[in-house]
Amino acid sequence: KEELEQSALVEEQRFAVAIEAAGIGWWDWAIQADSLMWGGEAERIFGLEPNTFEGNYEAFLRRVHPDDHNVVTIALAQAFGSDQPYRARYRIVRPDGSHRWLQAMGRVERTPGGTPARVIGVIQDVTDAVREQRERLGALAILEAVTEALPVCLSYVSADRHYRWTNQRNARRLGRTVAEILDRRLDEVFDLPGLAPGNEAAEVLAGHHICREEEMTAADGRVIAVEKQLIPHRDAAGTVLRFVSMVRDI
């Protein structure tokens, strides 16, 4: 018995170390009694001193950003009404006034009759990840604006000859919308006279940088002179993964 107790203590200590290293807090809400226990890094995440959380749902919700109350309540309602786990991403307001983004996950335990009785879960501070995501989206928006302003038809095509991105100017050239082009094969998109890609895709996917001037029939039937560049993009081993297409009216 003593060995079992010692083993259980060691496992508990290992769990505590893992929780602290991962920056994870855990919570256990007994719904009927409205008893909400926090453990691990939960109080630190919320900016509280140890053992100062009041231990009920209202005290938790009071620390959730007012604009995100619905996020929490809707996620709980969805978990209560289905077999799906509880998942929510929301902001909290710490005592010092700072805001943090949290990711919460949990499972609902039910009575024999199916009524939700407890919710047990974990929380993690994901503020840095949210900020990085927003910065990436901001950078992508800037890039999108720049590529739309350039007088060049741009796209990139994967090694399986599917369009993975294109700008609006290129879509107009082809007489299509961007949605009609994305994830479509070259031979599905280039079905207008004068737009057939021929063997160019095979040539650039074999590793050749194509740069030439030629005449091209636009979607409106006009014959235009263009400069075309097809540039292979390789991985570290030299394998061509995709190619970039740039077509400029000259």
Side-chain angles (χ1 to χ4, degrees):
K1 181 180 178 181
E2 186 176 338
E3 287 183 4
L4 288 176
E5 290 177 351
Q6 183 65 28
S7 178
L9 178 61
V10 170
E11 287 301 316
E12 184 178 338
Q13 290 171 339
R14 288 174 177 169
F15 176 74
V17 170
I19 287 288
E20 182 179 355
I24 294 173
W26 60 262
W27 48 275
D28 184 343
W29 180 33
I31 300 170
Q32 188 66 32
D34 191 21
S35 172
L36 179 55
M37 294 176 57
W38 280 3
E41 296 294 290
E43 287 185 307
R44 183 193 61 78
I45 289 171
F46 277 79
L48 300 179
E49 294 295 326
N51 304 314
T52 60
F53 176 60
E54 297 88 339
N56 57 69
Y57 181 77
E58 191 279 331
F60 153 70
L61 196 61
R62 192 168 63 244
R63 292 174 168 89
V64 174
H65 192 288
D67 292 344
D68 290 350
H69 282 191
N70 283 344
V71 173
V72 174
T73 55
I74 289 172
L76 280 172
Q78 290 174 339
F80 289 165
S82 70
D83 294 328
Q84 299 300 311
Y86 164 71
R87 293 179 184 273
R89 178 173 288 190
Y90 54 85
R91 289 165 294 174
I92 62 168
V93 183
R94 285 178 164 177
D96 63 4
S98 62
H99 296 176
R100 305 296 292 180
W101 279 95
L102 305 190
Q103 180 69 50
M105 294 176 288
R107 72 171 190 270
V108 179
E109 295 191 351
R110 302 176 186 274
T111 66
T115 302
R118 298 172 68 195
V119 189
I120 302 170
V122 295
I123 53 171
Q124 188 169 29
D125 188 328
V126 293
T127 304
D128 291 344
V130 170
R131 286 174 180 166
E132 288 173 6
Q133 182 183 40
R134 288 184 171 182
E135 288 172 1
R136 280 199 306 273
L137 291 175
L140 286 173
I142 293 171
L143 180 60
E144 189 80 17
V146 170
T147 57
E148 293 303 336
L150 291 173
V152 179
C153 299
L154 294 169
S155 60
Y156 79 77
V157 179
S158 55
D160 60 1
R161 304 191 185 197
H162 283 73
Y163 273 98
R164 300 306 181 190
W165 179 84
T166 189
N167 66 353
Q168 293 282 357
R169 186 181 294 271
N170 190 51
R172 289 193 296 271
R173 175 178 71 91
L174 300 176
R176 299 180 182 274
T177 65
V178 170
E180 290 172 334
I181 293 174
L182 292 184
D183 298 322
R184 300 279 297 279
R185 283 182 55 87
L186 286 172
D187 54 10
E188 294 176 317
V189 173
F190 284 84
D191 58 359
L192 297 173
L195 293 180
N199 295 320
E200 286 181 338
E203 190 176 347
V204 69
L205 288 171
H208 301 287
H209 180 169
I210 297 173
C211 182
R212 62 171 63 111
E213 295 180 2
E214 61 183 46
E215 289 188 341
M216 179 177 291
T217 304
D220 61 6
R222 293 181 300 115
V223 176
I224 56 176
V226 300
E227 178 189 75
K228 176 191 292 183
Q229 287 200 60
L230 304 178
I231 306 167
H233 179 234
R234 298 175 171 85
D235 63 13
T239 303
V240 177
L241 301 177
R242 60 184 69 87
F243 67 86
V244 176
S245 170
M246 298 190 297
V247 178
R248 181 172 64 91
D249 188 339
I250 57 174

